[in-house]
Amino acid sequence: MTIPSKATKAIKRRSEAVAAPSDAAGAGKPGKPRQSSKPEKPEPADAALQLKAAKQQIRRLKAQLAAALATVDELRACADTDFLLGILNRRGFERELDRAVAYIKRYGASGALIMIDVDRLKPINDRFGHAAGDEVLKAVVAEMLRQVRASDVLARLGGDEFVLLLWNLSAADAEAKAVNLESAVDMLRFHFGGELAQAGISTGVAMLGPQSDAREAMAAADRAMYARKQVRRRLAAEAGAAIATR
């Protein structure tokens, strides 16, 4: 039997020391799992649940957005509408008029403005109260709406002042429409507390064309309306005087 020399034993110990780290790295520490640098992939069932939850959240957000937009539309409509009569107010009409004038300028269309002032409303308010005056205004608006087309736009500028925007008609047609409106409202009769009351309207016309300015057209229609009001007052006074002398 050959006895290993001291040199052989030293070489063997160095070989075992070099091999030990490699073996330890391969084996790892007892009881500690090896970590992987790659992220774990979700199980197919988990991925399906996450996708379903995401779709439900998207549907909820879409519903909330639709509700918010509907609320915005309602608030905008309220801001542009006269609360008593349900037609456009000054704010809403001015926006509509600006759009109309832009369309007329671009496409060479035509239109007309009829400025309207309700006659004898103040005496009705003073004698029978503002509730009676509101009833008169509602009846006057309802009658005017019966006399115009669905495409025409009637608005209340404030108090007893109204304006009508009409599309695609001549100056003669616009003047005839103004006269018809006056005649229709003159026919209305009201009874408050057993007493008879009568209102009326005075109108003024201004045409809209490619060169028109919205504010200038409204001012022109307003001047024509006040001139017409003076004429109607004179005619009413003459008719009253004629009846008194019979």
Side-chain angles (χ1 to χ4, degrees):
M1 180 175 66
T2 303
I3 300 174
S5 65
K6 293 182 178 179
T8 303
K9 291 180 179 179
I11 292 171
K12 184 177 180 181
R13 284 196 298 271
R14 284 197 297 270
S15 299
E16 291 174 350
V18 171
S22 174
D23 295 341
K29 294 182 180 180
K32 185 177 181 179
R34 299 180 60 184
Q35 296 181 352
S36 174
S37 60
K38 295 182 179 180
E40 295 183 1
K41 294 182 179 180
E43 294 294 331
D46 294 339
L49 290 174
Q50 293 175 5
L51 179 59
K52 182 178 180 181
K55 289 181 177 180
Q56 290 175 344
Q57 180 67 5
I58 290 172
R59 285 195 293 269
R60 284 195 295 269
L61 292 174
K62 286 183 176 181
Q64 292 173 2
L65 177 59
L69 292 175
T71 300
V72 170
D73 289 340
E74 290 176 3
L75 292 174
R76 183 180 292 115
C78 290
D80 292 346
T81 303
D82 183 86
F83 73 95
L84 175 66
L85 303 174
I87 58 177
L88 290 179
N89 57 19
R90 179 183 289 273
R91 170 192 168 102
F93 180 78
E94 287 181 349
R95 182 181 292 112
E96 191 71 22
L97 179 59
D98 288 339
R99 292 173 181 169
V101 170
Y103 181 90
I104 288 170
K105 288 181 178 181
R106 181 171 183 178
Y107 296 104
S110 63
L113 286 178
I114 300 180
M115 197 68 69
I116 302 161
D117 192 77
V118 180
D119 300 327
R120 300 183 293 277
L121 183 64
K122 187 177 184 304
I124 292 175
N125 282 331
D126 293 343
R127 184 171 182 80
F128 305 108
H130 285 278
D134 290 346
E135 184 177 334
V136 170
L137 289 176
K138 291 177 182 179
V140 168
V141 167
E143 183 59 37
M144 289 193 293
L145 289 174
R146 281 193 287 268
Q147 300 295 323
V148 299
R149 300 163 296 184
S151 59
D152 299 330
V153 180
L154 178 64
R156 185 186 188 185
L157 299 180
D160 55 2
E161 295 183 355
F162 296 81
V163 63
L164 181 62
L165 169 63
L166 304 105
W167 285 97
N168 298 323
L169 74 173
S170 64
D173 290 336
E175 293 287 351
K177 176 58 66 177
V179 171
N180 290 339
L181 288 170
E182 290 181 352
S183 299
V185 175
D186 283 343
M187 297 295 293
L188 296 177
R189 298 291 184 272
F190 305 93
H191 293 86
F192 302 112
E195 296 186 41
L196 177 66
Q198 185 179 4
I201 58 172
S202 298
T203 61
V205 177
M207 297 304 296
L208 295 172
Q211 306 304 318
S212 295
D213 175 83
R215 303 302 172 265
E216 291 178 0
M218 286 188 69
D222 197 53
R223 290 191 296 270
M225 181 271 293
Y226 276 108
R228 175 61 178 168
K229 182 177 283 288
Q230 295 300 320
V231 171
R232 281 174 59 85
R233 284 175 177 170
R234 189 185 73 247
L235 293 174
E238 292 174 354
I243 292 174
T245 57
R246 288 181 184 175

PDB file of all heavy atoms in Angstrom, residues 232-246:
ATOM      1  N   ARG A 232    -100.152 102.734 -34.324  1.00  0.00           N
ATOM      2  CA  ARG A 232    -101.256 101.969 -33.730  1.00  0.00           C
ATOM      3  C   ARG A 232    -101.942 102.765 -32.615  1.00  0.00           C
ATOM      4  O   ARG A 232    -103.161 102.702 -32.470  1.00  0.00           O
ATOM      5  CB  ARG A 232    -100.736 100.626 -33.204  1.00  0.00           C
ATOM      6  CG  ARG A 232    -100.555  99.589 -34.321  1.00  0.00           C
ATOM      7  CD  ARG A 232     -99.905  98.315 -33.795  1.00  0.00           C
ATOM      8  NE  ARG A 232    -100.673  97.684 -32.728  1.00  0.00           N
ATOM      9  CZ  ARG A 232    -101.688  96.833 -32.936  1.00  0.00           C
ATOM     10  NH1 ARG A 232    -102.085  96.541 -34.184  1.00  0.00           N
ATOM     11  NH2 ARG A 232    -102.327  96.294 -31.918  1.00  0.00           N
ATOM     12  N   ARG A 233    -101.181 103.493 -31.842  1.00  0.00           N
ATOM     13  CA  ARG A 233    -101.785 104.322 -30.786  1.00  0.00           C
ATOM     14  C   ARG A 233    -102.677 105.402 -31.395  1.00  0.00           C
ATOM     15  O   ARG A 233    -103.778 105.672 -30.901  1.00  0.00           O
ATOM     16  CB  ARG A 233    -100.699 104.966 -29.935  1.00  0.00           C
ATOM     17  CG  ARG A 233    -100.036 104.010 -28.948  1.00  0.00           C
ATOM     18  CD  ARG A 233     -98.904 104.691 -28.233  1.00  0.00           C
ATOM     19  NE  ARG A 233     -98.299 103.810 -27.223  1.00  0.00           N
ATOM     20  CZ  ARG A 233     -97.178 104.080 -26.590  1.00  0.00           C
ATOM     21  NH1 ARG A 233     -96.517 105.214 -26.839  1.00  0.00           N
ATOM     22  NH2 ARG A 233     -96.701 103.238 -25.689  1.00  0.00           N
ATOM     23  N   ARG A 234    -102.199 106.011 -32.452  1.00  0.00           N
ATOM     24  CA  ARG A 234    -102.997 107.046 -33.102  1.00  0.00           C
ATOM     25  C   ARG A 234    -104.270 106.462 -33.685  1.00  0.00           C
ATOM     26  O   ARG A 234    -105.364 107.043 -33.543  1.00  0.00           O
ATOM     27  CB  ARG A 234    -102.174 107.732 -34.202  1.00  0.00           C
ATOM     28  CG  ARG A 234    -102.862 108.975 -34.789  1.00  0.00           C
ATOM     29  CD  ARG A 234    -102.129 109.576 -35.942  1.00  0.00           C
ATOM     30  NE  ARG A 234    -102.246 108.754 -37.145  1.00  0.00           N
ATOM     31  CZ  ARG A 234    -101.233 108.119 -37.703  1.00  0.00           C
ATOM     32  NH1 ARG A 234    -100.026 108.170 -37.178  1.00  0.00           N
ATOM     33  NH2 ARG A 234    -101.423 107.412 -38.800  1.00  0.00           N
ATOM     34  N   LEU A 235    -104.156 105.294 -34.338  1.00  0.00           N
ATOM     35  CA  LEU A 235    -105.330 104.664 -34.912  1.00  0.00           C
ATOM     36  C   LEU A 235    -106.334 104.267 -33.832  1.00  0.00           C
ATOM     37  O   LEU A 235    -107.553 104.412 -34.018  1.00  0.00           O
ATOM     38  CB  LEU A 235    -104.922 103.425 -35.723  1.00  0.00           C
ATOM     39  CG  LEU A 235    -104.105 103.689 -36.997  1.00  0.00           C
ATOM     40  CD1 LEU A 235    -103.646 102.379 -37.624  1.00  0.00           C
ATOM     41  CD2 LEU A 235    -104.921 104.503 -38.003  1.00  0.00           C
ATOM     42  N   ALA A 236    -105.798 103.747 -32.682  1.00  0.00           N
ATOM     43  CA  ALA A 236    -106.691 103.373 -31.588  1.00  0.00           C
ATOM     44  C   ALA A 236    -107.395 104.596 -31.021  1.00  0.00           C
ATOM     45  O   ALA A 236    -108.595 104.555 -30.694  1.00  0.00           O
ATOM     46  CB  ALA A 236    -105.899 102.664 -30.497  1.00  0.00           C
ATOM     47  N   ALA A 237    -106.668 105.708 -30.897  1.00  0.00           N
ATOM     48  CA  ALA A 237    -107.276 106.932 -30.379  1.00  0.00           C
ATOM     49  C   ALA A 237    -108.343 107.451 -31.333  1.00  0.00           C
ATOM     50  O   ALA A 237    -109.428 107.887 -30.906  1.00  0.00           O
ATOM     51  CB  ALA A 237    -106.199 107.992 -30.167  1.00  0.00           C
ATOM     52  N   GLU A 238    -108.073 107.397 -32.631  1.00  0.00           N
ATOM     53  CA  GLU A 238    -109.048 107.856 -33.615  1.00  0.00           C
ATOM     54  C   GLU A 238    -110.285 106.961 -33.596  1.00  0.00           C
ATOM     55  O   GLU A 238    -111.424 107.447 -33.705  1.00  0.00           O
ATOM     56  CB  GLU A 238    -108.419 107.870 -35.005  1.00  0.00           C
ATOM     57  CG  GLU A 238    -107.330 108.930 -35.172  1.00  0.00           C
ATOM     58  CD  GLU A 238    -106.624 108.814 -36.510  1.00  0.00           C
ATOM     59  OE1 GLU A 238    -106.910 107.825 -37.249  1.00  0.00           O
ATOM     60  OE2 GLU A 238    -105.779 109.678 -36.821  1.00  0.00           O
ATOM     61  N   ALA A 239    -110.079 105.637 -33.457  1.00  0.00           N
ATOM     62  CA  ALA A 239    -111.218 104.719 -33.412  1.00  0.00           C
ATOM     63  C   ALA A 239    -112.037 104.969 -32.145  1.00  0.00           C
ATOM     64  O   ALA A 239    -113.280 104.968 -32.198  1.00  0.00           O
ATOM     65  CB  ALA A 239    -110.723 103.266 -33.439  1.00  0.00           C
ATOM     66  N   GLY A 240    -111.369 105.232 -31.026  1.00  0.00           N
ATOM     67  CA  GLY A 240    -112.092 105.517 -29.797  1.00  0.00           C
ATOM     68  C   GLY A 240    -112.889 106.809 -29.888  1.00  0.00           C
ATOM     69  O   GLY A 240    -114.032 106.883 -29.421  1.00  0.00           O
ATOM     70  N   ALA A 241    -112.304 107.817 -30.524  1.00  0.00           N
ATOM     71  CA  ALA A 241    -113.008 109.088 -30.693  1.00  0.00           C
ATOM     72  C   ALA A 241    -114.218 108.932 -31.602  1.00  0.00           C
ATOM     73  O   ALA A 241    -115.289 109.516 -31.348  1.00  0.00           O
ATOM     74  CB  ALA A 241    -112.049 110.144 -31.250  1.00  0.00           C
ATOM     75  N   ALA A 242    -114.079 108.107 -32.646  1.00  0.00           N
ATOM     76  CA  ALA A 242    -115.186 107.899 -33.570  1.00  0.00           C
ATOM     77  C   ALA A 242    -116.349 107.189 -32.868  1.00  0.00           C
ATOM     78  O   ALA A 242    -117.514 107.514 -33.078  1.00  0.00           O
ATOM     79  CB  ALA A 242    -114.718 107.090 -34.779  1.00  0.00           C
ATOM     80  N   ILE A 243    -115.992 106.207 -31.994  1.00  0.00           N
ATOM     81  CA  ILE A 243    -117.049 105.490 -31.266  1.00  0.00           C
ATOM     82  C   ILE A 243    -117.738 106.423 -30.291  1.00  0.00           C
ATOM     83  O   ILE A 243    -118.979 106.407 -30.119  1.00  0.00           O
ATOM     84  CB  ILE A 243    -116.428 104.274 -30.533  1.00  0.00           C
ATOM     85  CG1 ILE A 243    -115.949 103.241 -31.545  1.00  0.00           C
ATOM     86  CG2 ILE A 243    -117.440 103.665 -29.571  1.00  0.00           C
ATOM     87  CD1 ILE A 243    -115.197 102.079 -30.925  1.00  0.00           C
ATOM     88  N   ALA A 244    -116.978 107.297 -29.648  1.00  0.00           N
ATOM     89  CA  ALA A 244    -117.549 108.219 -28.647  1.00  0.00           C
ATOM     90  C   ALA A 244    -118.506 109.223 -29.273  1.00  0.00           C
ATOM     91  O   ALA A 244    -119.423 109.702 -28.628  1.00  0.00           O
ATOM     92  CB  ALA A 244    -116.426 108.956 -27.921  1.00  0.00           C
ATOM     93  N   THR A 245    -118.298 109.564 -30.549  1.00  0.00           N
ATOM     94  CA  THR A 245    -119.142 110.586 -31.204  1.00  0.00           C
ATOM     95  C   THR A 245    -120.364 109.978 -31.853  1.00  0.00           C
ATOM     96  O   THR A 245    -121.186 110.712 -32.409  1.00  0.00           O
ATOM     97  CB  THR A 245    -118.302 111.318 -32.273  1.00  0.00           C
ATOM     98  OG1 THR A 245    -117.770 110.384 -33.209  1.00  0.00           O
ATOM     99  CG2 THR A 245    -117.173 112.092 -31.598  1.00  0.00           C
ATOM    100  N   ARG A 246    -120.505 108.687 -31.822  1.00  0.00           N
ATOM    101  CA  ARG A 246    -121.686 108.065 -32.461  1.00  0.00           C
ATOM    102  C   ARG A 246    -122.916 108.277 -31.614  1.00  0.00           C
ATOM    103  O   ARG A 246    -122.865 108.304 -30.403  1.00  0.00           O
ATOM    104  CB  ARG A 246    -121.428 106.562 -32.658  1.00  0.00           C
ATOM    105  CG  ARG A 246    -120.408 106.266 -33.778  1.00  0.00           C
ATOM    106  CD  ARG A 246    -120.217 104.771 -33.934  1.00  0.00           C
ATOM    107  NE  ARG A 246    -119.187 104.483 -34.939  1.00  0.00           N
ATOM    108  CZ  ARG A 246    -118.750 103.268 -35.206  1.00  0.00           C
ATOM    109  NH1 ARG A 246    -119.234 102.216 -34.529  1.00  0.00           N
ATOM    110  NH2 ARG A 246    -117.840 103.065 -36.136  1.00  0.00           N
TER     111      ARG A 246
END
